[in-house]
Amino acid sequence: MSTRLNSTDEMMSKLGELLLDTLTELDNEEFKTCKYHLKNRDLITKMEGKADRTDIAESMKAKFGAPSALKHIIDIFKKMNLNEIVQNLQAKKAQVEKKYNKKKEKKPATRDNQIQMRKPASNGNDNIGKPQLTKKNNLKSTSETKKNQVAKKNKAPIEEEPEIKKRKTSQESLQKTQPEAEREDGLQKMPMVVMVLKVKKTFEYDTQEGKKEMFHAIVANEHEFIRVKVLNMNIKEQFKKNKVIEISKAYWNRGFLEINKCSRIEDMTTNKEITVPQNIIRKAAKTTKIQMLEKLKPGSFVDGVYEIHKVIKAKKKKIRKITQERTN
């Protein structure tokens, strides 16, 4: 039997997820330093100092509750000078609390309260000096009231339209630059101004027309980083570290932006200034964590060097079967 969570429980659950996501963003050295400060303040035990991110998040949530656990983590991040992460974490925490506190405040009015609110104050002389409405006049008055209400409803959106349109446009432009937003594979719809963070070595690949060259790069703007495949070697000079470029007519393919002969790259270094936040630069340099691989879509690409911690040997029967299938 499933039970529905109330708004407070939902908020605690979301704050707990935020705590875990924040710890997951840290690299190994940052997480190690974070655990040192947690132990130093007696927020975790010596045994918990060997725990992973999930165990630390669960332990702190159980001991202090999600809101207090997040406050402790924010204090430690400030001490570690992780200012970008602190700002993002505080903003997300405030957003969650605001959302669920609003839900909590919106309580449905009871029938008795509604009747009491509609009921005018009475001194026993309600009908004195008031014209008595006939049934026909009463119906006419009700009809006119309804017409006025409909007119107000239709008029309100027109008056608020410029502000709503402005807010909607800003939200849509933000969504287009969110790294979490899923992009459909296909031609790039809008030009994109980015800074080149990293350019990898050129390598050869086989095609039906013979061997060709390409290289990978990582670019970023104020909101996200993007992995790029450059298939047109004529524009290699445009991809220099810290150079600002505008990319248009490229092609989205499984999370990568592919740049071919039809794509256009324009040097914007002298015309446009971009400041890429440190947390985005850190994310771009990180290797995708193993625990995050399960959340990726089938067919997604990742790169990086992974350390083997455990090897599980397959049964001999299975090995023989695979060998036979390969030889056949």
Side-chain angles (χ1 to χ4, degrees), residues 126-259:
D126 292 342
N127 296 326
I128 297 174
K130 289 185 180 179
Q132 297 294 319
L133 292 174
T134 63
K135 189 174 181 181
K136 186 175 179 182
N137 289 335
N138 195 12
L139 289 171
K140 186 178 178 183
S141 175
T142 305
S143 175
E144 287 176 357
T145 304
K146 285 183 179 179
K147 283 181 182 178
N148 290 336
Q149 288 174 349
V150 171
K152 283 180 182 179
K153 284 182 181 179
N154 292 335
K155 189 178 178 182
I158 295 170
E159 292 172 354
E160 296 173 2
E161 189 175 354
E163 183 62 31
I164 292 171
K165 189 174 181 181
K166 183 179 177 183
R167 197 184 310 128
K168 189 176 178 183
T169 305
S170 64
Q171 287 173 352
E172 284 177 353
S173 63
L174 180 62
Q175 286 172 358
K176 285 176 184 175
T177 56
Q178 288 289 337
E180 293 81 5
E182 296 179 359
R183 291 188 177 95
E184 293 181 2
D185 288 353
L187 187 66
Q188 178 190 358
K189 293 179 181 177
M190 295 181 67
M192 182 183 299
V193 178
V194 291
M195 177 187 285
V196 179
L197 295 185
K198 188 174 183 180
V199 181
K200 299 186 180 181
K201 290 182 180 180
T202 303
F203 62 92
E204 288 187 341
Y205 65 101
D206 293 321
T207 68
Q208 292 179 350
E209 300 170 0
K211 289 186 179 294
K212 291 189 177 181
E213 288 185 327
M214 67 171 286
F215 64 91
H216 288 93
I218 297 176
V219 299
N221 54 26
E222 294 92 338
H223 307 289
E224 63 174 329
F225 71 90
I226 299 159
R227 301 186 191 278
V228 178
K229 290 181 182 178
V230 183
L231 307 173
N232 182 6
M233 296 303 293
N234 295 328
I235 57 171
K236 187 176 181 180
E237 289 301 316
Q238 299 284 8
F239 281 83
K240 300 290 184 184
K241 191 174 179 181
N242 297 331
K243 192 172 184 179
V244 179
I245 58 174
E246 184 184 72
I247 304 174
S248 55
K249 296 183 180 180
Y251 190 87
W252 291 106
N253 185 14
R254 295 183 181 183
F256 283 84
L257 190 61
E258 293 185 357
I259 298 174

Side-chain angles (χ1 to χ4, degrees), residues 300-314:
S300 299
F301 292 96
V302 294
D303 61 348
V305 179
Y306 295 90
E307 183 181 348
I308 297 173
H309 288 273
K310 189 176 182 181
V311 177
I312 300 173
K313 292 184 179 180

Side-chain angles (χ1 to χ4, degrees), residues 69-174:
L70 281 169
K71 284 181 182 177
H72 288 308
I73 289 293
I74 288 170
D75 289 340
I76 287 169
F77 284 1
K78 286 178 180 177
K79 193 174 183 69
M80 293 169 62
N81 293 322
L82 299 175
N83 298 323
E84 291 282 348
I85 297 179
V86 168
Q87 288 175 6
N88 290 336
L89 180 55
Q90 286 176 330
K92 288 177 182 177
K93 180 176 178 288
Q95 192 176 4
V96 170
E97 289 174 341
K98 184 179 179 182
K99 178 183 176 182
Y100 288 98
N101 284 335
K102 273 187 178 180
K103 282 186 180 180
K104 196 174 178 181
E105 288 170 6
K106 289 180 182 178
K107 291 183 179 178
T110 61
R111 185 176 180 83
D112 292 339
N113 289 340
Q114 289 175 342
I115 293 169
Q116 191 67 29
M117 287 168 68
R118 290 175 191 156
K119 205 171 182 181
S122 172
N123 295 323
N125 299 318
D126 292 342
N127 296 326
I128 297 174
K130 289 185 180 179
Q132 297 294 319
L133 292 174
T134 63
K135 189 174 181 181
K136 186 175 179 182
N137 289 335
N138 195 12
L139 289 171
K140 186 178 178 183
S141 175
T142 305
S143 175
E144 287 176 357
T145 304
K146 285 183 179 179
K147 283 181 182 178
N148 290 336
Q149 288 174 349
V150 171
K152 283 180 182 179
K153 284 182 181 179
N154 292 335
K155 189 178 178 182
I158 295 170
E159 292 172 354
E160 296 173 2
E161 189 175 354
E163 183 62 31
I164 292 171
K165 189 174 181 181
K166 183 179 177 183
R167 197 184 310 128
K168 189 176 178 183
T169 305
S170 64
Q171 287 173 352
E172 284 177 353
S173 63
L174 180 62

